[in-house]
């Protein structure tokens, strides 16, 4: 065995054989290693001429001469080719050292030592290769011994860590790395030395001598063996990957920033609420971008004031903290030191309010001191980086103004705690982008809130105040706005008192939402009131409303001059009903609205069969009227679709549920309204709800005086007599003189200017109403009489003495009426002044 020598010997790497030649020039001793090298046993060689046995025939003459010279006492060294045992055609080359010997009898011989030249050449090649790799490598190369000390270092390593390569012998990794990293490296060396398992890409962080920059190295370790397989150490190859690490970190930051921007696009701005948008911003930023963050908005912005253009002075305007987020559990307990102007420096002096003190909490209103970084950022509209306070948990804060449409609306602060990476240029750009996106969304939310509040004010102002009163009706109404997250709608209802103790009941809904729908609703409601005062029939009222609705969306003349513009279509549904308390009859007309519901005493709720017609704004279709006699005590309900329709159930189910909710309609009317709203699903928040309910209370017969008079002069006196008697029966004696005078004037006018039979009617309810009917269609007109005129002053007198007067068309003529307050209600007969009487007759 070639490995019989002690471990670590040179003979582990080279092949050496020996033999001897006797005085006769023949082989007399042949070692086992010679037999193995040359492939000849001792029995085969002993007693043979070595030249004949080992040397090729063409070299034998020279070999004989050399052997003779050796036996004469000369040494010889040379290369001798030989055939490699076991390989038929392969030849080896041995370097033979022949040394003369002398026996005790003076006989001369020779000792021959042979080295396998091929093994020596392989060792030379390996040494040259190792030296080239080790010495010329552009990477740091170390060879650690079994005691984990440096046995050898290459020049590249010495260039980085100083000194010469020899200066590093005997050192350990603790001489180069921080303790924690050195312990990791030592553990890895021990493991490789013990197991033989290589380690690749071990990431180590440290610094070179005289430098403060953190360097990153990728270390590969493998165990080194001797020729006998004995572990002799660990080789380590170190590659500086700082640039690669920084590039990867920058790429990771870029990916993180893109992911944050993508998340911000998806999450910020989904709500039209300022506070919710601010919280969404912080949900994106913490902890993905920073450890602590807060949002401050100008108090005026939150209270609905219009922000001034440009950048307000940061030290004068109040701000409110609307959102705060932290990934640090003890963030509120940040140690603080006095800042400029006495302001406490918490989170880089920016979270404290005016005059120092604790940081502002969510909902708190505060100011920033003039010299603070936050006030400066608000004034300049530029990002500011503020270092953290000594001893605090924050190492830096980005103070970013929130700018929307060149106007600063608030401030967002991003802070990183100690231990986190400092903010870089990419982080600054990302912070500005996040703040800008949130600012635009918050400004949109502000604009929406402003429009929403204005629309609500407009909408509420157009609804009847409180519980309206009407002759012959008990009225109860409810209006429920949609969810606060939704826009206002165009629902409305109205109760309009008409002459003759009649009442117009209206419910409508403009299709669409927002301020435009609310404005359209207001215009339609005003139009309804105007048309109602003209005392038109319900179908006529809806026809006029249809024309008005079609005109609402027409572009203005000014818009036409600027270029073609499409008209915006406004559609609305409406039910218009006129109830006569004397006859208890109600006339309905419908423009695409849901049918009214009638509940007669002791009966189930019934949907009235009123032809629906087309919605207002469609045009081209006439509206039909339906007259219904309503029994005493019946319940009439008008409503909008928000009460009975939602995405959760179809309209038919909603109507059926509404009918069931009205089954017990005998209770007080207010309780009926509450029961309906409590029973139906009215909290879906999808639409506004308008509910108008009326209980029929017809005027009793004893409160009505109705007479027909022939068309003759004596009817004037008869009318005065009938009116006087009825007022006396009602106990209204204080009104007799005034009523006689005014009745006389109206009947006289009917005789003079009217046609056909005359009808006189007195109605006593909350007021006293007198009506004079005739078949003429010419409406009376109040005019100023000249001094020489004998007539023309009757209507002036009616206007002076009555609380109100007017005329209306009827299907068969006209009605002229006046109204007086009852004495029991504190009303007094108005006496005309002297100036008014003189004015009637001129100068």
């Amino acid at each position: 065995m070639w490995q019989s020598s002690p471990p670590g010997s040179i003979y582990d790497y080279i092949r050496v054989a020996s033999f001897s030649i006797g005085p006769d020039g023949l082989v007399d001793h042949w070692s086992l290693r010679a037999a193995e090298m040359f492939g000849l046993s001792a029995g085969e060689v002993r007693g043979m001429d070595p030249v004949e046995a080992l040397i090729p025939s063409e070299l034998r003459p020279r070999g004989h001469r050399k052997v003779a010279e050796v036996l004469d006492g000369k040494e010889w060294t040379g290369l001798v080719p030989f055939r490699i045992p076991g390989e038929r055609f392969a030849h080896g080359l041995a370097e033979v050292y022949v040394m003369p010997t002398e026996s005790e009898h003076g006989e001369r011989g020779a000792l021959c030592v042979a080295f396998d030249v091929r093994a020596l050449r392989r060792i030379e090649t390996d040494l040259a290769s190792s030296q080239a790799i080790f010495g010329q490598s552009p990477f740091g190369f170390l060879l650690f011994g079994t005691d984990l000390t440096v046995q050898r270092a290459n020049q590249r390593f010495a260039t980085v860590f100083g000194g010469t390569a020899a200066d590093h012998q005997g050192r350990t990794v603790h001489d180069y790395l921080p303790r924690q990293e050195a312990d990791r490296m030592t553990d890895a060396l021990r493991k490789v030395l013990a197991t033989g398992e290589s380690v690749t890409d071990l990431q180590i962080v440290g610094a070179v001598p005289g430098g403060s920059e953190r360097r990153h190295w990728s270390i590969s370790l493998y165990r080194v063996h001797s020729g006998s397989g004995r572990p002799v150490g660990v080789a380590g190859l170190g590659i500086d990957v700082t640039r690669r690490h920084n590039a990867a970190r920058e790429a990771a930051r870029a990916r993180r920033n893109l992911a944050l921007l993508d998340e911000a696009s998806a999450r910020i701005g989904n709500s039209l609420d300022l506070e919710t948008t601010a919280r969404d911003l912080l949900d994106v930023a913490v902890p993905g971008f920073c450890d602590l963050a807060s949002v401050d908005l100008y108090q005026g912005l939150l209270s609905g004031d219009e922000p001034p253009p440009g950048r307000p002075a940061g030290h004068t305007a109040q701000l409110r903290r609307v959102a705060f987020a932290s990934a640090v559990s003890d963030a509120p307990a940040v140690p603080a030191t006095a800042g400029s102007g006495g302001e406490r420096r918490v989170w880089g002096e920016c979270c404290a309010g005016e005059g120092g003190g604790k940081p502002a909490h969510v909902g708190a209103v505060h100011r920033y001191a003039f010299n603070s970084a936050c006030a400066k950022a608000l004034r300049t509209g530029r990002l500011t980086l503020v270092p953290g306070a000594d001893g605090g948990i924050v190492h830096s804060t980005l103070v970013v103004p929130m700018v929307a449409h060149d106007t600063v609306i608030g401030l967002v602060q991003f802070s990183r705690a100690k231990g986190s990476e400092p903010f870089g240029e990419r982080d600054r750009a990302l912070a500005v982008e996040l703040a800008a996106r949130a600012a635009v969304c918050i400004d949109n939310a502000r604009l929406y809130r402003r429009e929403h509040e204005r629309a609500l004010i407009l909408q509420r102002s157009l609804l009847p105040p409180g519980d309206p009163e009407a002759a012959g009706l008990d009225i109860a109404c409810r209006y429920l706005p949609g969810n606060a997250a939704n826009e206002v709608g165009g629902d409305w209802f109205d109760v309009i008192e008409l002459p003759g103790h009649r009442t117009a009941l209206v419910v409508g809904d403009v299709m669409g939402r927002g301020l435009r729908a609310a404005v359209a609703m207001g215009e339609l409601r005003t139009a309804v009131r105007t048309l109602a005062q003209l005392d038109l029939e319900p179908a006529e009222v809806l026809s006029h409303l249809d024309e008005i609705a079609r005109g609402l969306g027409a572009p203005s003349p000014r818009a036409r001059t600027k270029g073609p513009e499409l008209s915006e279509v406004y559609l609305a549904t409406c039910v218009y009903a006129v109830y006569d308390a004397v006859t208890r009859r109600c006339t309905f007309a419908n423009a695409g609205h849901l049918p009214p519901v009638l509940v007669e005493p002791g009966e189930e709720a019934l949907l009235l069969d009123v032809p629906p017609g087309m919605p207002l704004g469609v045009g081209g279709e006439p509206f039909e009227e339906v007259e219904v006699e309503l029994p005493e005590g019946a319940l009439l309900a008008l409503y909008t679709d928000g009460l009975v329709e939602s995405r959760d159930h179809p309209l038919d189910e909603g109507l059926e549920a509404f009918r069931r909710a009205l089954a017990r309609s005998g209770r007080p009317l207010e309780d009926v309204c509450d029961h309906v709203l409590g029973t139906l699903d009215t909290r879906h928040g999808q639409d506004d709800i308008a509910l108008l309910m009326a209980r029929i209370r017809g005027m009793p017969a004893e409160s009505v005086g109705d007479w027909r008079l022939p068309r003759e002069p004596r009817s004037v006196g008869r009318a005065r007599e009938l009116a006087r008697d009825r007022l006396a029966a009602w106990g209204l004696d204080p009104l007799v003189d005034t009523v006689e005078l005014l009745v006389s004037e109206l009947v006289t006018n009917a005789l003079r200017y009217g046609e056909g039979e005359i009808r006189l009617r007195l109605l006593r309810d909350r007021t006293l109403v007198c009506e004079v009917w005739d078949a003429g269609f010419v409406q009376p007109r109040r005019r100023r009489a000249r001094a020489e005129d004998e007539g023309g002053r009757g209507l002036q007198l009616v206007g002076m003495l009555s609380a109100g007067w007017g005329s209306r068309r009827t299907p068969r003529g006209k009605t002229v009426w006046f109204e007086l307050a009852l004495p029991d209600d504190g009303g007094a007969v108005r006496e005309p002044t002297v100036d008014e009487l003189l004015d009637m007759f001129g100068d």
Side-chain angles (χ1 to χ4, degrees), residues 738-760:
T738 302
V739 171
E740 279 189 303
L741 176 60
L742 299 185
V743 166
S744 178
E745 289 293 337
L746 294 187
V747 173
T748 300
N749 281 345
L751 287 173
R752 181 176 298 179
Y753 305 109
E755 297 178 8
E757 187 182 40
I758 299 173
R759 181 182 176 186
L760 172 64

Side-chain angles (χ1 to χ4, degrees), residues 296-627:
D296 296 326
L297 298 177
Y298 280 114
Q299 176 66 9
L301 187 79
L302 296 170
S303 59
D305 297 339
E306 191 72 20
R311 302 180 179 116
H315 65 290
T316 59
Q318 288 185 326
L319 296 102
R320 185 194 302 174
R321 172 119 333 142
V322 295
F324 168 77
S326 171
V328 183
S329 58
D330 57 346
V334 180
T337 58
S340 58
E343 184 182 17
R344 290 169 58 106
R345 299 187 62 207
V346 181
W347 301 5
E349 79 174 9
C350 283
C351 286
E354 181 183 22
K358 296 180 179 180
H361 299 286
V362 174
V365 177
H366 62 96
R367 287 188 177 94
Y368 291 116
F370 181 82
N371 293 326
S372 67
C374 292
K376 180 180 178 181
L378 289 171
R379 290 194 301 271
T380 62
R382 296 180 180 178
L383 176 145
T384 302
L385 176 63
V386 183
D390 296 336
I393 63 173
V394 172
H395 69 66
S396 59
T397 298
L398 289 178
V399 181
V400 189
M402 304 182 75
V403 183
H405 307 110
D406 295 328
T407 300
V408 177
I409 64 173
L411 190 75
V412 59
Q413 300 176 58
F414 302 109
S415 299
R416 286 185 179 174
K418 293 182 177 178
S420 299
E421 292 186 357
F423 290 109
E425 289 300 323
R426 292 182 182 270
D427 295 326
R428 296 187 182 203
L430 177 61
V432 172
E433 179 66 22
L434 290 175
R437 294 194 179 196
V440 171
C441 294
I442 288 175
D443 193 55
N444 290 339
R446 176 189 66 81
L447 295 175
Y448 166 78
R449 175 181 289 185
R450 183 186 66 182
E451 179 179 346
H452 186 262
E453 290 177 350
R454 291 177 179 177
L456 283 177
I457 293 172
L458 173 63
Q459 190 175 45
R460 303 298 186 268
S461 66
L462 295 175
L463 296 175
D467 292 330
E469 295 182 354
L473 293 174
D474 293 335
I475 301 291
C477 52
R478 295 289 187 273
Y479 183 86
L480 298 180
N483 192 303
N486 295 331
E487 299 178 355
V488 295
D491 291 14
W492 91 92
F493 66 92
D494 210 344
V495 178
I496 307 170
E497 292 189 78
L498 300 177
H501 291 304
R502 294 173 306 128
T503 304
L505 304 175
V506 190
V507 168
D509 183 3
V510 176
M511 298 180 187
R513 307 196 64 78
L515 187 58
R516 290 180 177 269
V519 170
M521 176 269 286
E523 294 188 15
L524 290 177
R525 179 181 179 272
T526 302
V528 169
R529 281 191 158 264
T530 302
L531 294 171
Q533 298 303 323
L534 296 177
D535 219 342
L536 302 177
E537 296 298 322
E540 291 184 85
V541 171
L542 293 187
S543 296
H544 288 293
L545 283 179
D546 180 57
E547 295 180 4
I548 293 172
R550 279 184 287 165
L552 289 178
S556 65
R558 181 180 179 184
R560 293 192 187 99
T561 61
K562 293 184 178 180
E565 182 178 329
L566 294 177
S567 299
E568 184 172 0
V569 178
Y570 285 92
L571 299 179
T573 62
C574 179
V575 169
Y576 185 85
V578 176
Y579 170 70
D580 190 336
V582 179
T583 62
R584 294 202 312 276
R585 300 189 69 84
C586 189
T587 304
F588 296 91
N590 190 354
H593 203 80
L594 294 174
V597 177
L598 178 65
V599 186
E600 298 185 6
E603 301 291 337
E604 294 183 353
L606 174 67
L607 296 176
L608 293 180
D609 186 13
V610 179
M614 299 299 292
L616 303 177
V618 174
E621 293 293 333
F623 298 98
E624 300 181 43
E625 293 180 357
V626 172
E627 189 176 61

Side-chain angles (χ1 to χ4, degrees), residues 158-205:
T159 301
V160 174
F161 285 90
T164 64
D167 293 337
H168 295 278
Q169 293 181 5
R171 295 184 180 181
T172 67
V173 293
H174 286 81
D175 295 318
Y176 306 106
L177 300 174
R179 181 174 179 179
Q180 183 176 2
E181 295 292 277
D183 290 343
R184 289 180 57 232
M185 180 78 170
T186 301
D187 292 340
L189 288 170
R190 289 195 179 111
K191 182 179 179 180
V192 172
L193 188 61
T195 65
E197 296 180 0
S198 300
V199 172
T200 57
D201 198 23
L202 175 64
Q203 296 294 317
I204 296 296
V205 180

Side-chain angles (χ1 to χ4, degrees), residues 701-746:
E702 59 270 17
S703 296
V704 179
D706 194 350
W707 307 276
R708 296 183 181 275
L709 303 173
R711 187 171 187 80
E712 54 187 32
R714 63 178 182 174
S715 293
V716 177
R718 179 59 179 165
R720 289 197 298 267
E721 179 183 353
L722 292 173
R724 182 173 58 250
D725 293 343
R726 184 52 60 95
L727 291 179
W730 287 341
L732 299 179
D733 296 317
L735 301 180
V736 170
D737 294 340
T738 302
V739 171
E740 279 189 303
L741 176 60
L742 299 185
V743 166
S744 178
E745 289 293 337
L746 294 187

